[in-house]
Structure formats: C-alpha cells, structure tokens
C-alpha cells in the first residue's frame, strides 16, 4: 500500500514529540538540505506542469502525460530516503520508510507505467495531485526543520492537509489498480506460468487484487495514527525539531 504515499504518512509516522533527538552532522545536514530543496523544486515543477497543461487544454483529462517524466524521476528519487535511514542520517525505520517509498514506486512503474491504458484515467490525476501537494509540503517541512527555522504554517499544513490528501490519494491508487486489472488479466503482464524450469508460478493479476485488499487493514491504522500525531504535534506548545 502506498500509504504514506498516499497521502502523507512518511512525516506523520515518525518521531515527532517533545523529546529532541540528536541530528545528523554538519555534512549530512548540508546534504539533506540540498536533497530536500531539490525534491521540493521537483514536485513544484510537477505542480506547475499540471496547472499549465490544464490551462492550455481547458480539461483535466489526460494531464498525466504532461508530467509523466518528472513524476517518474522525482518519485523514484525518493528511494534515496531508504538509504538515508539505512546509513543513520535520518532517524526513521528503514523497513517502514522502504515500504512507504517502494509502494509509490510500485504504483508509478509497475502499474501506471506498465499498463498504458490506465494513464488516461481520472484516478491517476487524483493520486498524482494528492502526491504533489503532499510532497511539496513534506519536503519543505524537512528543509526548514533542518535549518531550525520551521514556519508554523508549514508545520500546520504538514499535519492538517493529510486529512483530505490521504483519502484522496488512496482512492486514486485503488481506482487505478482496479482499472488496470482487466488489461493485466488479458495480457498476462508480469505473470509466470507453469511449466517452467524453475517450477515457479506467479499471477500478477491476483497479486494486484491482494495489494488492493491490503488497503483495508492498513488505511485506517495509518490514518488514525496520523490523527494522533497531529494532536501531539500541533497541540504541543514547545519548540520542536525534526531532522528527516
């Protein structure tokens, strides 16, 4: 499930609270600032691309094609966040971060890219719009936090917009996967049938159905976790710093 993806949970899963944690060293901090600035700019490019394409066409249909390349590039660039956790410059779970990042990468490449018939679906624009707003806020949040100058407006947006963006993103993702099912079943995309020399079979169609089912237990848990995080963070009046 693209859960944090979906709407925003990579920021809400973490280690936000009254206790301050030791941040990364000066060199690591400089690198993380540059990384987050670049990612913020990248998602702003995607946002501007969507708006320009909409104004030029006068319709929201098929806007995916106008931002396909930057979307793939910057969403895939989030894989570096797993490395950041693995080497310890970001104090977050490697497993959780990996799950959240790779679920989005999976939807970007293994569903939307691989099943071209779904690229014109309105559901794709739904999750792309949710991701775009989420990531602009999230990477801005991280950048200002690393600089120890976090405007309250960005902090508030970080822990408020997910209330709408998370369900919006999840809805778009589920509808996109659902739209891909007939084409996957018809073409046998990524499926491995018996017999073969490895004596192994894999049905990608069934796998996608299982992915959709996984949203049922995961979505409520993550969503209400973020609600609790929102109360903790926005309800805390003291200083607060995050080094992701």
């Amino acid at each position: 499930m693209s859960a944090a993806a979906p709407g925003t949970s990579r920021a809400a899963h973490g280690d936000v609270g009254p206790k301050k944690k030791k941040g990364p060293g000066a060199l690591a901090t400089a690198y993380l600032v540059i990384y987050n600035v670049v990612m913020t700019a990248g998602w702003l490019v995607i946002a501007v691309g969507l708006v320009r394409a909409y104004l030029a066409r006068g319709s929201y249909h098929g806007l995916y094609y106008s931002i396909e390349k930057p979307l793939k590039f910057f969403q895939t660039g989030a894989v570096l966040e797993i490395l950041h956790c693995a080497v310890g410059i970001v104090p977050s779970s490697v497993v959780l971060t990996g799950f959240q990042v790779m679920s989005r990468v999976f939807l970007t490449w293994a569903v939307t890219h691989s099943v071209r018939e779904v690229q014109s679906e309105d559901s794709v624009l739904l999750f792309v719009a949710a991701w775009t707003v989420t990531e602009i806020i999230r990477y801005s949040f991280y950048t200002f936090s690393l600089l120890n100058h976090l405007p309250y407006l960005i902090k508030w947006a970080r822990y408020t917009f997910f209330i709408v963006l998370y369900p919006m993103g999840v809805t778009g993702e589920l509808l996109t996967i659902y739209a891909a099912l007939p084409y996957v079943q018809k073409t046998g995309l990524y499926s491995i049938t018996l017999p073969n020399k490895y004596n192994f079979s894999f049905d990608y169609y069934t796998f996608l159905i299982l992915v959709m089912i996984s949203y049922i237990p995961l979505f409520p848990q993550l969503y209400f976790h973020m609600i609790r995080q929102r109360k903790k963070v926005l309800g805390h009046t003291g200083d607060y710093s995050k080094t992701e």
Side-chain angles (χ1 to χ4, degrees):
M1 172 181 183
S2 174
T8 59
S9 95
R10 251 180 346 264
H13 77 267
D15 320 295
V16 282
K19 293 183 179 180
K20 291 186 177 182
K21 294 190 176 183
K22 183 179 179 181
L27 186 61
T29 298
Y31 161 74
L32 288 173
V33 168
I34 294 171
Y35 172 80
N36 285 295
V37 167
V38 170
M39 294 298 282
T40 302
W43 285 95
L44 280 169
V45 167
I46 293 171
V48 171
L50 287 171
V51 173
R52 290 182 62 182
Y54 174 76
L55 293 175
R57 299 182 184 187
S59 172
Y60 60 85
H61 295 294
L63 291 184
Y64 169 80
Y65 301 106
S66 65
I67 49 84
E68 180 179 4
K69 290 182 179 179
L71 175 68
K72 290 176 179 177
F73 181 84
F74 287 102
Q75 185 54 66
T76 305
V79 171
L80 287 173
E81 295 181 33
I82 304 173
L83 180 62
H84 299 163
C85 297
V87 300
I89 61 174
V90 171
S92 294
S93 164
V94 176
V95 174
L96 183 57
T97 300
F99 170 75
Q100 294 172 336
V101 170
M102 295 311 298
S103 61
R104 276 195 179 190
V105 173
F106 171 80
L107 193 68
T108 300
W109 289 100
V111 179
T112 310
H113 169 77
S114 300
V115 186
R116 303 193 67 84
E117 290 83 357
V118 305
Q119 294 175 2
S120 59
E121 293 285 335
D122 293 342
S123 59
V124 173
L125 179 61
L126 197 62
F127 75 72
V128 168
W131 290 5
T132 301
V133 176
T134 293
E135 298 298 64
I136 291 171
I137 295 172
R138 187 170 73 91
Y139 287 116
S140 297
F141 176 92
Y142 292 160
T143 300
F144 284 108
S145 295
L146 286 161
L147 297 173
N148 294 315
H149 185 69
L150 178 63
Y152 181 80
L153 180 61
I154 292 179
K155 177 177 169 182
W156 177 86
R158 182 72 183 94
Y159 290 97
T160 301
F161 280 31
F162 78 87
I163 295 173
V164 173
L165 294 175
Y166 191 10
M168 177 179 166
V170 166
T171 300
E173 294 165 21
L174 284 172
L175 290 175
T176 299
I177 296 173
Y178 180 76
L181 290 176
Y183 303 102
V184 171
Q185 185 177 41
K186 180 180 179 180
T187 62
L189 179 69
Y190 298 143
S191 295
I192 302 173
T193 58
L194 292 171
N196 59 65
K197 64 179 180 179
Y198 300 107
N199 197 31
F200 170 80
S201 64
F202 174 73
D203 186 0
Y204 189 53
Y205 175 82
T206 301
F207 176 76
L208 287 180
I209 293 175
L210 293 175
V211 169
M212 294 178 69
I213 293 174
S214 73
Y215 278 68
I216 297 173
L218 291 175
F219 169 73
Q221 291 183 47
L222 289 167
Y223 189 72
F224 288 112
H225 172 72
M226 291 188 289
I227 292 290
R228 291 191 295 271
Q229 288 298 115
R230 182 179 190 274
K231 291 179 180 178
K232 182 189 297 185
V233 174
L234 297 185
H236 179 60
T237 57
D239 291 335
Y240 152 77
S241 175
K242 185 173 178 68
T243 57
E244 280 195 284

